[in-house]
Amino acid sequence: VKLYTFPHLPNPRRVAIFLAEKGIDVPVVIVNMREGEHRKSEFLRINPRGKVPVLELDDGFCLTESLAICRYLEALFPKRPYLFGESPRRIGEIEMLNRILELELYNQLVISWRNGPLFRRYYPDTQQIAGAKEQSDAAARAFYREFDAQLQGRRYVAGEAFSMADIIAVTSIDFATGLLDLRPDDDLQNLWRWHSLVHERPSVRPAE
Ligand SMILES: N[C@@H](CCC(=O)N[C@@H](CS)C(=O)NCC(=O)O)C(=O)O
């Protein structure tokens, strides 16, 4: 197998944290997005959609989508820690949280990113939608408040054990803070307590 990635971007970082948590080593090929390598024909043969991460399997099959890659690896290494849950109840709960975080937080951040000033600077030819960033920024801020309330009395997003839901949440919030000027407010104490706890993990720390 081979992992095509560009570390520190939110989706590649999900896979990097997952691999570190599971203790799995995978050979890595860096696709330098700053140099536009993801849009060159060599990489488009690997993923015609021009996105990372991609896990190329030994038979040549290319698995895209960060969550699909992590699910595949969890199925391939069915041992602790189970980041997608072990019992049917935990699997269901973590899937629910993963979908909420992906659809209601991360997708909003992508809209803010695509319609924001940094994206305009990198891709001046892209059309942006007026008002879209303001709308998705507000949705993300509302999500942070709900997320903070849900973390009341909880160690991690899905309860006592660290899971894939923590990985999606921390990579999203760090992306929002670092590149979108959407840092959660200081008064969200549960969120920041959780964030510090998660950032103590060796798997999470390197991307700071
Ligand atoms: N849903 C996909 C998203 C992949 C994605 O959008 N990756 C970004 C980096 S975080 C990318 O490669 N963007 C390049 C582009 O859209 O041109 C996943 O979960 O892997």
Side-chain angles (χ1 to χ4, degrees):
V1 295
K2 230 188 269 175
L3 178 68
Y4 292 84
T5 189
F6 192 53
H8 306 331
L9 293 183
N11 292 297
R13 190 170 169 229
R14 290 177 181 178
V15 177
I17 296 174
F18 180 90
L19 288 169
E21 289 284 336
K22 292 289 275 191
I24 304 170
D25 248 341
V26 172
V28 161
V29 178
I30 302 291
V31 181
N32 192 329
M33 292 185 45
R34 244 176 259 126
E35 309 274 318
E37 279 179 16
H38 60 303
R39 296 191 167 181
K40 295 197 175 138
S41 58
E42 201 183 339
F43 181 68
L44 292 174
R45 272 198 293 276
I46 305 290
N47 181 9
R49 292 164 62 239
K51 292 173 197 281
V52 288
V54 181
L55 189 71
E56 184 179 15
L57 307 189
D58 289 339
D59 65 3
F61 179 71
C62 288
L63 195 56
T64 67
E65 294 296 318
S66 53
L67 282 171
I69 292 169
C70 295
R71 272 203 173 278
Y72 167 78
L73 292 168
E74 179 116 312
L76 201 61
F77 296 96
K79 53 178 193 236
R80 293 198 175 124
Y82 285 96
L83 294 169
F84 288 89
E86 193 170 358
S87 66
R89 151 105 200 217
R90 287 285 295 165
I91 291 171
E93 184 181 4
I94 292 168
E95 181 72 10
M96 170 182 82
L97 294 163
N98 288 350
R99 289 189 60 80
I100 291 172
L101 285 159
E102 180 95 334
L103 298 169
E104 295 179 22
L105 175 62
Y106 185 70
N107 284 351
Q108 295 294 337
L109 300 180
V110 171
I111 296 171
S112 292
W113 164 244
R114 290 196 68 94
N115 293 285
L118 265 184
F119 194 87
R120 188 160 55 239
R121 196 183 321 150
Y122 289 136
Y123 304 106
D125 297 337
T126 307
Q127 259 207 320
Q128 295 190 316
I129 303 167
K133 177 170 163 54
E134 289 67 22
Q135 197 175 48
S136 46
D137 283 3
R141 293 209 174 278
F143 190 93
Y144 291 161
R145 299 231 150 243
E146 257 173 52
F147 185 62
D148 179 77
Q150 277 161 15
L151 283 168
Q152 175 74 41
R154 275 186 176 223
R155 199 167 155 75
Y156 292 107
V157 177
E160 273 309 296
F162 182 83
S163 75
M164 196 68 215
D166 294 284
I167 299 179
I168 301 174
V170 75
T171 51
S172 299
I173 288 172
D174 290 353
F175 168 54
T177 302
L179 287 176
L180 303 179
D181 206 13
L182 262 177
R183 184 183 184 276
D185 292 337
D186 284 334
D187 68 321
L188 300 177
Q189 288 178 11
N190 298 315
L191 186 155
W192 286 114
R193 189 253 321 134
W194 160 84
H195 188 267
S196 307
L197 182 68
V198 166
H199 266 257
E200 281 169 17
R201 304 177 81 83
S203 63
V204 176
R205 242 187 272 144
E208 278 180 271

